[in-house]
Every structure is written in structure tokens, then in C-alpha cells.
Amino acid sequence: MNVFDPEVLGRCMSCGFCLPACPTYALTGDEASSPRGRITLMRGIEDGTVSLFDPAVQEQASMCLGCRACEPVCPAGVSYGLLLEQWRDTAWRGRDTPWLVRPLLALTRHDLVLRVLGRLRRHARPGPRRHPGPHLLLGCVERVLFPGVSRAARAVDPDLQPGRGPGCCGALHAHNGRLGEGEAMARALGDRLPGTIVTTSGGCAAHLAGVLGRDRVAELSEWIVRRGLLPPARTGQARPRVAIQDSCHLRNGLGVSATIRTAVGAVAEIVELPSARDCCGAAGTYSLLRPRESARIIAPKVREIADAGVDLVVTVNPGCQRQLRTAVRRAGLEVEVVHLAELMAGQR
Amino acid sequence: MTGRTAGAVDEQVIDRLRDAVGARWVRTDAATRRAYARDATPLFDAEPDVVVQPGTTAEVAAVVRIAAAHGVPVVARGAGTNLCAATVATHGGIVLSATRMDRLLEVSEAEQLAVVQPGVTTTALATAAAAAGLLYPPDPGSRAVSTIGGNVATCAGGLRGLKYGVTRNYVLGTEAVLGTGEIIRTGGRLVKDVAGYDLTRLLVGSEGTLAVLTEITVALVPAPPTAGYGVAYFDSLADAGRAVAAVVGAGLVPATLEFLDATCIEAVESHAGLGLDRGAGALLLFGDDGAPAQVDAALATMVTACRDAGARAVTTAPDVATAEDLLAARRCTLPALSRLGSLTVLEDVSVPRPRLAEAVARIGDIARGTGVRVGVFGHAGDGNLHPTAVADGQDPAQVAAVHRTFEQIFQLALDLGGTITGEHGVGAAKLAWLPRRLDPAQLALMRRLKAAFDPAGILNPGKLGS
């Protein structure tokens, strides 16, 4: 078959250095659910030794979180995230698309409902048409679930113009078997919002950077540090104890993690969780598609949060925020889960 | 080297395996068989018929008994990071994965030892030892991934071989399942114990052909309080070789003596931009650990030795951060080389230390002759070098040239009084070369030994002792 970029697939030398970084390998201890094992499967799909549509092969395309934790540890620099997108782009065609994903993709594609819901939920008001930027991306998930995040981002930097029109950058589509559509949506967004696009979602940042170029995109913490928007150090006040949850695509895809700590460290005392950099199990649509694995992946993190004795957990991606908030509540912890924007705007 | 057709194992055998370890730990689906067709060895690929993940020694023994009764091959596998196709199921059968047996059973400070199950990673053991103020010295390049079971089965080496030795120097005892399904315990926790043949030593490096390891007791040493590093550049590896000879001649056994040849320096610099001297013919990374005064004295001796040997430049790291920068050059050599082509073949030969520079020079001649790009790096202190070929894996002519290159390199190592593998192992990859290294009487003895441990010939057939 001709599913994968042969240059990217050819890069893997099967050394196995990715195994200890992989959350699903940690769950199963099974080569087939490791990045190297999945790449062996991809090679098998290409040379015909396994079928793309074999249920056991499909299971591995589905079980992968797509967190890309295997990429920074890869000695050969394999772009695993791209290979996974290409895999699902073929494997999740037509009736093979997971049924839970379909309404989500449809909803974010036709954004009228999204706009109405978002407005009802009172996210930040979009700015004027044809503004030169910098623009604030009103992400599709945030509009509906966390409308306060865009208002908080505007409070941190009033110069940010909330972008008009559809908010979805297409990351959701690219990660769920609609690679071409996801890229087209990102390009359309880039045309509509010229200049720098600032996003409060790690997943959107990595997808947009991949399509539009790294220089067009800034994640909020990068923006705050770059523009010198850090609040002056507060003295004499009790600083909250804060744990950070990295965004996988932000950290593993774009290498952004230090600016988050610079920003949080300006207003709070950082308590690093041992698993701060590890996937929380939200992983886009993963927590909906595979709730059992998702719950197993977040369980040790909730124990760490309980042990750390923190006041807040700060996230930089709406999916992580939802996942952690749900898990922390379910565990009965008195810990608030907030977005970086909300912390920086002094709303927490 | 290509995939076998599955189905050689009867459904009845599969059922018995399911009864023995539980159905969810016995898998025969296409995805599982394909994923376990490979380890880290390029160009080797063979699907097992079934993958079994036992959870206890008793389950391992049950699986081996079933396999012996039906003549089904059993290939024990840790993380599959070996580079000699030791865990590729060339004869099909069962791949027996150790990943569920990953408990660290004990770290004893009083006895300076640890007891682990085979699936524990090398790094997990080293970390647990460090928490007790102890050191597990073997540090193979894949330590974050590799398992102790795999390390013992291949007698893994690492960067500290000269001063600390390799895996065999740290294995005190094992529990293992023979090819008959019998469970034996060899050695134990004692420093001195000569009751019987040293079967522990025999199992180390046996590559899963004599027994399946189910528990391992390793010796630990006090963790050295400090370490220091330096780097020297030379016009040629011959100059670096003279420096190494002077270091050893001065009575020093340093913890680190690693070299990179000009091809590696160029590749690392293009990839990582660490500010290495691109004009140099060789880079020598040196270092030692121990008490602070001892480390300082060792570094001073090594700096002098390098300067006397005509080094272009010598620097030592004043702090940990700088030392990490120096070590980065060595650590990213393989990544840097691998970016030069789709096929990376990392090989492993050893020569007597005084012949190291000559070996590297002649490897250069061989590579020029075959037209293959080969970088050489390795352990200057113990004569173990890693010629690494990079080529286009899609081009059969280039792949054939890589094979020809290594055939000449293996012969060169033997001609220099060296060996065909220092620390990677024989596996399926180098079995054909073994008769060039060992005489017929020894090979015959190995076959008889294997027959004694594994009368049915089911343990990793087609490898050592077959």
C-alpha cells in the first residue's frame, strides 16, 4: 500500500528507545502497542505482511494516544505523529471512522452551532474583520467548554484580537483520519487571520505550526514571555502552590515547556509533578473513544496531585483541562484545575 | 531473513498455553506476530507463531514444558534492543516476553546486591541502586529500555567496561528454566561459593539458548562520590592511540575512554552543532570517577598524556553542565550517523587495545574500497569499536556493499587477534562467523552443552549451540 511517507517511515532504525516513553506500552508491556511496534506494523501494511483493516492492526491505530512522547527521545528523529495521522487517514475512512468522532468532526466543520453555543457561553467577543493581528484563536473546544479562557487571555493582553469566523484549526480532523481536511482548515484559518496567531491550546498550536509554519503561531505562555507580559513579582503575598500539566503536542511537537514555567513561576510556587510531561489521557478524542485506557493513564497522575498538596493545577490545553478537572473531582480532591490564561489574569 | 508463514503451531498447543498462563497473555493475531518479528537488528525479520507473556517462574516452566513436548521453539525476549538478532524467531514458535516479570525484588545495602526479575530495565535497577548509595556499573547504550534479563543473556557491556567490567562481572546468581521445564537456581548471594560448576557464568551470554532466566541476583558497588571529564582532539587516531597507551602505562584504569573518528565528528557537528573541532582526525573523551582528589589526579595525568601524544587541544570540564556537553558528543554519535541514510548498521568488534588505531585506519581503507560510508566510534580503553555503516536501505547494491564491508571488517578483527563481537552478541546475525572465531572442538562442546540443557533443542534454535 501507499499510506506512509516512505522517507519518514524509513528513518526508524528499530532501536526501541521510544518504548519507555510510551504510555500505552507502559500499560501493556506489549511490543505491538509501542511506537516501534506500531512502526513495524506500518511497514507491514506497506509491504503487505499485515492488512490495514485487520482488527488487531486497527486496534493499535486506535489505542495510540498520539501524544508524540516518542519523538523527543528518538535518536533517528522519526516524525511519529505524522505517521499516525497518515495511518488514521487511511484506516479511519468511511464506515471505519469511530462513530463517536463523526458528530464532533461535523460540528466543528459547520461552525454555526459552535458560534451560537460559544456566544451563549460568552467567550471573548470577536474583533473586527480584516484586523492585522495579533489574533487570539477562539478554539472550538474552548468556546463551548471553557469560554472564560479567551476572556482571560484578553485580560492578559488586550492587544489580542479574538479571531472572527470558524474557530476550528483542523487539528481534531488531522488526528482523526481527515488529514487533508485538517490541513485545509488550518490554511483557511491562516488566510483569514493574518499575522501571529496566539492560541491557548497546545494541540492547536502544534497543528497550526505544522501547516502554517512555526513563526506564524505562538502558544500563550510563549506570547506572554516574548511580549514581556509577566506581572511584577508580588511580595508579602502568599503564592499559591501550583502543579503544571504539560501539553503533549506543545512539549513533544513544538518543544514548548520552559515558558510555561516562567509564566507560572512569576505568580505562583511551582510544584513539579513527576509525571508533568506525561500524557494525561485526554489526547483529543481519546478520552471519548477509549475511556478505559484514558482512566488508567490518568490514575497515577491524580495520586501525584493528591500527594503534592497543591492549590491549583495549571493546564495549557482545553482537553487536558477537561480531563484533569473530571478526574480530580471524581477523586474528591479540593484542587482547582485552571488554564494558564486564568492564572495569569489573576482570576485564580 | 524474511517472514515465515504462521500456523506451524497446533491450535491444541495454543490451548494448552492459554490454560497455563491465561488466555489474555497468549496472542496469535496478525498484528502481534508482525510486531514481534523484529528486534533492533536491521535486516532480520521473522514472525513467531504466538507471543506469550508469562507472569511467574512457574508459568515460564509450564510454557517451556508444553513447548518441549511439542517441539515448538521458544525465544525469550526482554525489550528487544539487541543488535544481533538474538530475539528474532528465525524458526517461528513462541516468543516468550519478560515484560510482565518486571519486579525489583530487593536491594540489600548490607550485602551490596539486588535481586530482580528479568523484565526490570537496566535504568530501573541503576536508579534503585543509586537510591541506596550504590552503583550498578554496566551501562549499555540502551539501558533506559533494555532489561536485565536481556543484559545477562547477551552479557551487555557499556562505556565503563575498562574500569568496571561488563555484565558478567556483576551476576552473582540466577534462577532459570531449562529446556526440560526444570527450574534451577545457580550461584546466589555469596561472594565466595565454589560448590559445583560455575553455571551462572555459563548462562551469562548464552542468548536464551540454554535456559530462560526468571530471576537474577546482581552485585552492586559503592557509588563513587564524584566524576570528572575532559576532551582531547588529535590529528589522527594513531596519536589518540598513543595517548591511551600512555594513560594505561601510567597505571591508570579510567572509567571513561571513548573515541570518535573524523567521520563521526563531522556527522555529530552537522547534526548537533556542539562546536567540535571539524578539522580533527579523532576525538578522545576521557574521564574518571572516585574521590575528588583521585579524580583530579587522574584527569591531570590524562591531560598530560594527551598533550604529550601531540593533541591539537585538550580541555577538562570544570562543572557538571560542561561535562554533560562533552558527553553529549558521544551520546549523539549514533543519532547523528543514522541521519545520513535510511539504513544504519551499528556493528561491534573488539581488538587488543594496542591495535585499536591500526584497526580504525584499516576499516577506513575497507570502506573506501567498498564505497560505503562507515563511521567508527567506541571504547578506546578496552579495544571495543563500533564501525557503523550508513546506506540507502532501499538500494540492494548498497545493502550488498554494506555486507561486504562488514565481512572484511570481521576478518580484519580476527587478523588483529580480536573478536567478531565485543558486547552485542552472536545471535542469528553472526552465527556464520562463529567457526572463524572458535575451533571445531569448542563448537562441538557447545552443541553438547546445549543438548544437556535443552535436549529437545527448543530454546532459541538457530543461534548459539545449534
Side-chain angles (χ1 to χ4, degrees):
Chain A
M1 288 189 82
N2 239 330
V3 177
F4 304 100
D5 181 332
E7 207 279 324
V8 178
L9 195 56
R11 290 229 66 78
C12 173
M13 50 184 181
S14 299
C15 66
F17 282 28
C18 50
L19 268 59
C22 177
T24 56
Y25 180 73
L27 283 186
T28 63
D30 178 13
E31 179 75 31
S33 50
S34 76
R36 176 178 65 175
R38 291 190 178 107
I39 283 179
T40 304
L41 291 181
M42 294 177 200
R43 288 175 165 161
I45 290 166
E46 291 294 46
D47 66 24
T49 43
V50 289
S51 162
L52 181 72
F53 301 104
D54 183 295
V57 176
Q58 286 277 37
E59 165 68 4
Q60 289 308 332
S62 156
M63 196 205 284
C64 177
L65 291 149
C67 71
R68 298 167 66 181
C70 44
E71 289 186 31
V73 300
C74 175
V78 176
S79 301
Y80 176 88
L82 178 65
L83 293 173
L84 178 70
E85 286 175 3
Q86 291 171 345
W87 192 357
R88 289 184 180 166
D89 196 40
T90 309
W92 287 6
R93 287 267 170 79
R95 63 191 178 84
D96 287 308
T97 306
W99 64 271
L100 262 168
V101 164
R102 295 179 205 190
L104 275 176
L105 295 182
L107 176 69
T108 48
R109 194 182 294 132
H110 308 292
D111 76 314
L112 186 62
V113 186
L114 198 68
R115 272 200 237 181
V116 172
L117 277 175
R119 286 296 181 87
L120 286 174
R121 300 272 284 144
R122 298 201 307 110
H123 62 66
R125 287 185 147 283
R129 284 179 203 284
R130 306 210 174 280
H131 191 279
H135 292 283
L136 175 68
L137 176 68
L138 294 171
C140 54
V141 179
E142 270 180 354
R143 282 190 192 197
V144 180
L145 290 182
F146 302 107
V149 170
S150 52
R151 292 200 304 271
R154 288 263 294 147
V156 172
D157 184 0
D159 290 345
L160 287 177
Q161 287 299 319
R164 289 196 84 86
C168 186
C169 67
L172 197 63
H173 303 72
H175 300 157
N176 289 284
R178 301 287 188 278
L179 188 49
E181 193 180 344
E183 285 173 0
M185 289 171 82
R187 250 179 263 114
L189 194 89
D191 292 344
R192 214 168 46 246
L193 307 178
T196 305
I197 302 173
V198 178
T199 139
T200 46
S201 155
C204 304
H207 178 66
L208 284 173
V211 178
L212 302 179
R214 183 69 178 93
D215 55 331
R216 287 287 312 276
V217 182
E219 181 273 334
L220 184 67
S221 73
E222 287 186 287
W223 185 252
I224 288 172
V225 172
R226 191 188 305 166
R227 296 278 284 222
L229 298 170
L230 291 169
R234 282 183 275 182
T235 48
Q237 264 180 303
R239 289 153 58 91
R241 287 166 57 81
V242 169
I244 293 168
Q245 171 60 43
D246 279 305
S247 148
C248 292
H249 280 213
L250 202 53
R251 178 165 196 134
N252 304 324
L254 298 183
V256 174
S257 61
T259 48
I260 302 167
R261 281 141 182 91
T262 306
V264 172
V267 297
E269 184 196 337
I270 298 174
V271 182
E272 283 286 3
L273 300 178
S275 72
R277 60 169 60 195
D278 302 336
C279 184
C280 65
T285 54
Y286 196 87
S287 56
L288 304 174
L289 296 177
R290 303 191 67 107
R292 267 186 47 223
E293 281 93 351
S294 177
R296 281 178 69 195
I297 283 165
I298 200 173
K301 203 179 283 286
V302 173
R303 284 194 292 275
E304 283 179 14
I305 291 168
D307 293 345
V310 291
D311 305 307
L312 299 173
V313 179
V314 167
T315 63
V316 286
N317 189 63
C320 314
Q321 192 174 355
R322 177 183 166 277
Q323 169 89 344
L324 279 161
R325 182 171 285 184
T326 310
V328 161
R329 276 187 190 155
R330 203 167 280 162
L333 302 182
E334 301 264 316
V335 178
E336 249 193 292
V337 180
V338 301
H339 192 282
L340 176 72
E342 297 167 309
L343 178 77
M344 299 313 289
Q347 297 171 357
R348 289 295 190 287
Chain B
M1 281 191 233
T2 50
R4 307 169 50 263
T5 46
V9 175
D10 283 349
E11 197 53 40
Q12 175 209 349
V13 176
I14 304 293
D15 285 342
R16 290 193 60 194
L17 291 171
R18 290 196 174 112
D19 289 344
V21 301
R24 65 178 291 213
W25 305 115
V26 177
R27 283 167 314 136
T28 57
D29 62 85
T32 303
R33 292 204 319 270
R34 179 96 296 269
Y36 284 85
R38 296 281 318 267
D39 55 26
T41 320
L43 307 172
F44 282 84
D45 184 309
E47 288 184 7
D49 298 296
V50 50
V51 175
V52 181
Q53 287 178 280
T56 64
T57 301
E59 287 182 2
V60 172
V63 170
V64 172
R65 276 196 304 274
I66 294 165
H70 294 85
V72 177
V74 176
V75 182
R77 174 180 171 119
T81 52
N82 75 88
L83 292 161
C84 62
T87 50
V88 173
T90 49
H91 291 53
I94 300 167
V95 159
L96 195 62
S97 165
T99 49
R100 281 180 69 210
M101 296 177 69
D102 64 346
R103 274 184 304 140
L104 211 144
L105 301 171
E106 181 189 356
V107 175
S108 166
E109 287 177 60
E111 293 171 276
Q112 296 190 333
L113 59 79
V115 184
V116 299
Q117 289 191 314
V120 169
T121 65
T122 318
T123 292
L125 169 59
T127 306
L134 297 166
L135 174 71
Y136 177 67
D139 59 345
S142 56
R143 60 192 171 279
V145 196
S146 64
T147 62
I148 296 298
N151 287 177
V152 174
T154 55
C155 189
L159 303 193
R160 293 194 272 236
L162 175 65
K163 180 169 183 173
Y164 287 101
V166 295
T167 301
R168 76 163 65 86
N169 303 101
Y170 295 90
V171 182
L172 288 172
T174 72
E175 177 192 75
V177 175
L178 303 181
T180 55
E182 294 162 283
I183 299 166
I184 60 166
R185 293 192 72 93
T186 72
R189 307 168 70 101
L190 305 170
V191 174
K192 291 183 175 177
D193 182 358
V194 292
Y197 293 140
D198 191 350
L199 297 181
T200 306
R201 203 72 184 258
L202 180 57
L203 291 182
V204 176
S206 63
E207 298 179 3
T209 61
L210 300 181
V212 179
L213 296 161
T214 50
E215 187 187 295
I216 296 136
T217 304
V218 295
L220 305 171
V221 298
T226 55
Y229 298 93
V231 66
Y233 294 96
F234 298 89
D235 289 332
S236 69
L237 249 161
D239 290 351
R242 283 208 310 282
V244 170
V247 169
V248 176
L252 219 59
V253 185
T256 306
L257 266 181
E258 296 291 311
F259 76 93
L260 274 60
D261 74 354
T263 305
C264 294
I265 294 171
E266 176 60 34
V268 168
E269 202 43 35
S270 305
H271 166 54
L274 300 173
L276 307 184
D277 175 1
R278 280 188 136 129
L283 178 158
L284 189 68
L285 176 70
F286 54 88
D288 202 6
D289 57 14
Q294 176 205 332
V295 171
D296 288 346
L299 286 181
T301 303
M302 290 193 275
V303 168
T304 306
C306 291
R307 292 220 169 98
D308 291 350
R312 295 158 65 98
V314 188
T315 49
T316 55
D319 52 50
V320 175
T322 323
E324 281 302 317
D325 287 345
L326 297 183
L327 291 169
R330 170 66 175 83
R331 291 210 182 103
C332 74
T333 306
L334 183 61
L337 287 170
S338 81
R339 279 167 169 76
L340 301 177
S342 62
L343 175 67
T344 306
V345 184
L346 167 62
E347 263 304 346
D348 166 52
V349 293
S350 266
V351 296
R353 189 168 46 221
R355 312 296 294 269
L356 185 89
E358 184 188 350
V360 176
R362 288 176 60 181
I363 288 171
D365 294 341
I366 291 169
R368 271 185 293 281
T370 55
V372 172
R373 176 139 52 169
V374 177
V376 188
F377 62 97
H379 319 293
D382 56 30
N384 182 202
L385 35 102
H386 296 303
T388 301
V390 190
D392 176 0
Q394 301 303 313
D395 180 350
Q398 285 197 33
V399 175
V402 168
H403 282 300
R404 281 201 306 281
T405 306
F406 282 119
E407 276 169 19
Q408 293 177 46
I409 291 174
F410 299 153
Q411 190 57 54
L412 168 71
L414 292 171
D415 292 346
L416 294 174
T419 186
I420 54 170
T421 173
E423 60 184 1
H424 289 178
V426 175
K430 282 186 183 163
L431 193 65
W433 275 85
L434 205 55
R436 312 274 274 273
R437 170 71 178 132
L438 304 176
D439 57 52
Q442 218 180 137
L443 290 169
L445 174 62
M446 284 191 177
R447 283 192 288 273
R448 293 201 297 276
L449 273 172
K450 169 144 173 81
F453 278 76
D454 173 27
I458 54 160
L459 296 181
N460 213 359
K463 315 282 169 63
L464 285 178
S466 289

